Amino acid sequence: MAKVPGAVMAAGGLVGGYGVARWTRRRELGGAVLAVAGVAAAREWRERAGGVTAGALSAAYVAAFAGSHPLSKKVGAWPAVFGVAGAVALTSWAVADRRG
């Protein structure tokens, strides 16, 4: 069975977490989606590129989540979420996923 790249998991976690939180009006459910996807992506990153890289990409994932909030005030919520998800996915692919 083919593995899901960390880039897909991370982007899916950011977009999915926001979507779940928005549509259910339960931020904790969105946070759970974000956390589960982040842990899964970190495991994939560690397997492909090692612990240091996984730590750096995990920090980027959390920073993207945090950064999407002030960005949303400038460009809107969905564009901010898609923008940071794309940035994390591109970084993940460049640093870890293309190796595997």
Side-chain angles (χ1 to χ4, degrees):
M1 179 155 115
K3 290 187 175 193
V4 177
V8 173
M9 286 186 247
L14 289 162
V15 173
Y18 175 69
V20 166
R22 182 172 178 139
W23 290 316
T24 65
R25 298 182 195 270
R26 304 277 312 264
R27 294 178 79 179
E28 64 275 9
L29 292 178
V33 170
L34 183 78
V36 168
V39 168
R43 286 184 180 173
E44 187 64 26
W45 292 327
R46 184 175 180 193
E47 186 178 305
R48 289 183 187 240
V52 173
T53 300
L57 287 170
S58 295
Y61 182 75
V62 172
F65 167 70
S68 69
H69 291 82
L71 183 60
S72 72
K73 294 180 190 316
K74 296 180 188 262
V75 299
W78 280 113
V81 170
F82 285 130
V84 299
V88 169
L90 181 61
T91 303
S92 172
W93 176 82
V95 174
D97 294 334
R98 69 180 175 161
R99 294 181 185 190

